[in-house]
Amino acid sequence: MKKIIVILLFCLFARNAWATTKVTIQDYPLQIYPNQEFSVVFNIINDFISSDGYYVKGRIGSTSANLNKGETYNPTTNNWLSDTSSWDSFPIINFNNDTIATASAKLRVNQTVFIENNLLVIRINKNGKNYDSSSTALLVFEPTPTPTETISLSPTITPIVSFEPTEIPEPTPISYNNIFINEVMVNPESGSNEWVEIYNDNDFSVTLSNWYLDDIENAGSSPKSFSLEIPAKGYRVFNLSSSMFNNDADSVSLLDFNKNTKDSFEYQSSTKEKTFGRTTFDNDDFCLQEPSYEAINNGCLNPIPTVSLTTKPVPTPTLFFSPTTFSPPRPGNVQLINQLYTNDSQVLGAYTENKQIIKSTNNKLVNSFLIISFSYSLLTIVSVSLKIKLSYGKGKKNFSSFLHS
């Protein structure tokens, strides 16, 4: 009976010993030099391995009490971590529910490492508990410089040629045209800088060397010098290192290197964190807008109302006439035609259009009258001719009576 109890106790303790996590280093370079990156392959043996993951790091030092010379690479954050970094910054290794899992870590040693013999330990951390591998020997050495072949040459006399240093002249500043102030931030949020956006309306890039920004001429702040390279049809912003413009009434001026004014505009008030943006390059009109910063300006926050013109329909007169009765126009009709030409429309172009419509109608009416008159005359001539022919065939007497009739 005692033997059975001893066997059971031995199995129980043995099982608990086997269940202990064990880290075993499998493969690594035996010798390295400072800052050399290398990989270490290791196994984790544990009967409760899960997919929750382990934190892992490499520890290197000359003694077991000085394992702080190693650095571990985290591929997720692309960072090298020292031995004193927090565990949550180290790489995580996930495993399936296998009894033995294999993993690897990328390590290196820093410049303070002890040259020659050192120790290497892999430490994993799970649920706040650390598990170390057995220490293995690691040799750290100084890299040997590659010898270079020395070629011995016979001394030769080389003539000495002296050259005078040539100074490279600075580019001559150019006072370009078609350079405009496009957007200005005069009232930024607290802690931010004022800035001015400049637009190059040319078909070529320009370099503004030693140009200036100013507020009120001969007053206020001193002009601030700047240099910018602006592409064709492009925008560039100059950020002021200190405040220059007032939040209430002030002006913004762009000066060339000779301090000649190239563009300017004035404002009477401002709104915090809003900018003044140019509405067109045909004039100096600016409006309040949301900042666009080196891009096409946004819409105005206070747009100018537009006036829409509405034309009144002009009634077309309807004329009635009988095709059988023709009356020449009387003097009174002239007044009617003149009245048709009057127009009280206030829209540009309406009077001319109405006049052309009435004139076209009158031309058609006159043509109709001419056709009716001609037809009536032709009918009368034909009727008279027919009557003469009929009467001439009955004799002279009848013809005479016809003439007296």
Side-chain angles (χ1 to χ4, degrees), residues 222-356:
S222 300
K224 294 186 181 296
S225 175
F226 71 93
S227 295
L228 284 178
E229 184 173 349
I230 311 177
K233 305 295 182 182
Y235 308 83
R236 285 294 180 268
V237 167
F238 175 67
N239 293 280
L240 281 74
S241 58
S242 59
S243 298
M244 182 176 190
F245 306 111
N246 298 325
N247 292 339
D248 49 11
D250 207 342
S251 65
V252 182
S253 298
L254 175 65
L255 315 177
D256 65 6
F257 62 95
N258 283 326
K259 295 188 178 181
N260 297 318
T261 302
K262 305 299 290 186
D263 193 17
S264 65
F265 85 100
E266 297 180 357
Y267 60 92
Q268 300 302 319
S269 62
S270 65
T271 302
K272 197 172 190 64
E273 300 182 27
K274 308 298 180 186
T275 60
F276 290 106
R278 183 184 289 271
T279 59
T280 176
F281 293 109
D282 296 332
N283 51 50
D284 293 335
D285 290 341
F286 284 73
C287 69
L288 204 64
Q289 65 168 28
E290 295 290 344
S292 60
Y293 201 92
E294 292 193 352
I296 298 174
N297 289 346
N298 295 314
C300 296
L301 298 178
N302 50 349
I304 301 174
T306 57
V307 179
S308 60
L309 301 178
T310 304
T311 59
K312 297 181 180 179
V314 179
T316 303
T318 303
L319 304 178
F320 299 93
F321 58 86
S322 174
T324 58
T325 304
F326 172 74
S327 298
R330 297 188 299 273
N333 292 340
V334 177
Q335 183 179 2
L336 172 62
I337 294 174
N338 290 335
Q339 292 177 354
L340 291 175
Y341 279 87
T342 61
N343 190 307
D344 59 352
S345 175
Q346 300 300 318
V347 180
L348 181 63
Y351 174 79
T352 304
E353 183 179 356
N354 296 337
K355 184 174 180 180
Q356 290 176 349

Side-chain angles (χ1 to χ4, degrees), residues 38-42 56-58 72 91 93 103-107 122:
F38 63 96
S39 295
V40 178
V41 179
F42 58 92
V56 60
K57 67 178 177 180
T72 305
I93 300 178
S104 65
K106 182 186 288 188
L107 309 177
I122 294 295

Side-chain angles (χ1 to χ4, degrees), residues 40-96:
V40 178
V41 179
F42 58 92
N43 291 339
I44 297 178
I45 303 173
N46 191 337
D47 60 357
F48 59 84
I49 286 179
S50 66
S51 60
D52 294 340
Y54 294 81
Y55 292 106
V56 60
K57 67 178 177 180
R59 310 192 70 206
I60 301 173
S62 58
T63 64
S64 59
N66 190 29
L67 298 175
N68 57 3
K69 308 302 181 181
E71 296 180 356
T72 305
Y73 177 71
N74 188 340
T76 302
T77 61
N78 195 26
N79 290 327
W80 284 95
L81 307 167
S82 65
D83 188 73
T84 58
S85 300
S86 60
W87 270 116
D88 56 2
S89 62
F90 282 89
I92 298 177
I93 300 178
N94 297 308
F95 304 105
N96 297 324

Side-chain angles (χ1 to χ4, degrees), residues 5 14 33 35 63 163 173 225 280 291 304 317 326 329 333 360 373 380:
I5 294 174
Y33 54 85
N35 286 333
T63 64
F163 296 94
S225 175
T280 176
I304 301 174
F326 172 74
N333 292 340
S360 176
S373 177
T380 302

Side-chain angles (χ1 to χ4, degrees), residues 12-28:
L12 179 62
F13 284 109
R15 182 180 182 279
N16 290 336
W18 295 337
T20 302
T21 300
K22 185 175 182 181
V23 182
T24 305
I25 297 177
Q26 295 294 318
D27 187 27
Y28 71 101

